[in-house]
């Protein structure tokens, strides 16, 4: 079962949030495909449950979704309920900097593996500019998901994300903070000033979508040009990790 999961980015449900940068704000765009020769109907739902886009895709006719609803910190549910499978790419277009650049990442479908614990590790870099953020963004896939975060950098997190008036607290390196997140709620955690949040553990009792990266990265980090780029990837839970990989 785990091998099959690792080989396939197609599914029926995808949950994710749109990253909010310190430097740039990017609206999200979706590219939806399928391997089916027949039409598969998809729906795009916002955090309030409203359908903001619907359409059909087939192997010869992918779909692109642009919407003002795909704004930073928003959460999105893309799904199909007619028996078909779809794949979803998220991309952000930045036209404010020197030129149009595109940041793309592949979404992994929602999977409840019926296990008591899911563990994720943030992946980032330390960047080149002190104002750019190393971050991760989590999105709840199910209600009442208990999440424990142990950061590798000192971070500031809302004490209770269910309370809009909650105060922020500081979590030191190696400390822990536990929150409860519901379906389609998001929580973004990050550091700037050349910090690197890589290795931060996110442990939950139900599946999450964890997006991690850096707002303005140089790889390698001693690259001496002024240009940088946004790096983003969805982090799979450790239970789906493997030992053999193919590069093409």
């Amino acid at each position: 079962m785990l091998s099959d999961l690792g080989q396939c980015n197609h599914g029926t449900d995808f949950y994710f949030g749109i990253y909010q940068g310190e430097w740039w704000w990017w609206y999200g765009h979706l590219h939806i495909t399928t391997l089916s020769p027949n039409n598969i109907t998809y729906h795009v739902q916002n955090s309030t449950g409203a359908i903001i886009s619907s359409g059909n895709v087939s192997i010869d006719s992918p779909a692109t979704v642009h919407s003002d609803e795909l704004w930073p910190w928003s959460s999105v549910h893309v799904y199909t309920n007619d028996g078909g499978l779809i794949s979803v790419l998220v991309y952000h277009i930045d036209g404010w900097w020197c030129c149009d650049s595109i940041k793309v990442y592949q979404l992994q479908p929602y999977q409840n593996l019926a296990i008591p614990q899911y563990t994720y590790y943030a992946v980032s870099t330390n960047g080149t500019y002190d104002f750019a953020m190393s971050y991760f963004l989590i999105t709840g896939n199910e209600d009442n998901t208990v999440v424990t975060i142990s950061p590798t950098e000192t971070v500031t997190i809302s004490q209770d994300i269910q309370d809009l008036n909650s105060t922020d607290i500081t979590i030191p390196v190696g400390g822990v903070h536990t929150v409860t997140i519901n379906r389609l709620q998001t929580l973004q955690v990050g550091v700037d000033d050349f910090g690197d949040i890589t290795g931060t553990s996110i442990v939950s009792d139900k599946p999450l979508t964890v997006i991690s990266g850096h707002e303005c990265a140089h790889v390698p980090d001693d690259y001496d040009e002024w240009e940088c780029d946004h790096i983003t990837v969805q982090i799979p839970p450790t239970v789906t990790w493997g030992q053999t990989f193919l590069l093409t």
Side-chain angles (χ1 to χ4, degrees):
M1 180 174 66
L2 296 182
S3 174
D4 290 342
L5 292 176
Q7 293 174 7
C8 184
N9 290 314
H10 290 74
T12 59
D13 290 89
F14 301 80
Y15 295 90
F16 66 101
I18 303 295
Y19 162 69
Q20 164 65 62
E22 287 193 5
W23 193 11
W24 295 307
W25 286 36
W26 291 302
Y27 285 85
H29 308 271
L30 309 179
H31 186 68
I32 303 172
T33 61
T34 183
L35 296 177
S36 173
N38 303 314
N39 279 339
I40 305 297
T41 301
Y42 69 86
H43 307 281
V44 182
Q45 182 184 48
N46 67 15
S47 59
T48 69
I51 301 297
I52 60 175
S53 181
S54 294
N56 295 316
V57 292
S58 69
I59 192 170
D60 296 318
S61 299
T64 300
V65 177
H66 309 280
S67 173
D68 291 342
E69 296 277 351
L70 302 176
W71 47 271
W73 281 337
S74 66
S75 55
V76 183
H77 177 209
V78 182
Y79 68 95
T80 179
N81 52 16
D82 61 3
L85 300 178
I86 58 175
S87 179
V88 182
L89 284 173
V90 181
Y91 64 97
H92 309 269
I93 301 176
D94 163 37
W96 176 82
W97 196 234
C98 68
C99 49
D100 288 338
S101 61
I102 301 178
K103 294 80 178 170
V104 182
Y105 57 94
Q106 175 78 56
L107 286 180
Q108 300 163 15
Y110 161 76
Q111 294 279 356
N112 188 321
L113 301 176
I115 57 177
Q117 180 173 291
Y118 298 78
T119 300
Y120 309 82
Y121 288 99
V123 177
S124 187
T125 184
N126 58 13
T128 305
Y129 299 104
D130 59 0
F131 51 78
M133 182 183 291
S134 170
Y135 73 94
F136 64 86
L137 171 66
I138 65 176
T139 304
N141 290 191
E142 300 182 18
D143 288 338
N144 299 313
T145 300
V146 178
V147 183
T148 299
I149 298 168
S150 181
T152 55
E153 296 271 1
T154 298
V155 297
T156 301
I157 304 178
S158 174
Q159 188 167 13
D160 180 4
I161 66 172
Q162 304 304 326
D163 181 0
L164 294 177
N165 297 314
S166 176
T167 57
D168 290 341
I169 60 173
T170 298
I171 312 300
V173 175
V176 295
H177 181 54
T178 299
V179 298
T180 297
I181 191 169
N182 291 322
R183 178 179 175 272
L184 285 175
Q185 282 189 319
T186 60
L187 173 65
Q188 182 172 307
V189 178
V191 293
D192 52 17
D193 200 22
F194 305 110
D196 183 359
I197 210 163
T198 295
T200 293
S201 68
I202 303 113
V203 179
S204 62
D205 63 346
K206 297 175 184 177
L208 297 169
T209 301
V210 180
I211 304 296
S212 187
H214 198 283
E215 183 180 11
C216 190
H218 279 170
V219 181
D221 59 15
D222 60 354
Y223 186 65
D224 62 1
E225 295 294 332
W226 58 270
E227 294 94 344
C228 63
D229 214 343
H230 184 195
I231 56 173
T232 307
V233 67
Q234 182 174 343
I235 306 298
T238 57
V239 69
T240 65
W241 289 9
Q243 295 178 319
T244 303
F245 305 88
L246 298 177
L247 300 179
T248 60

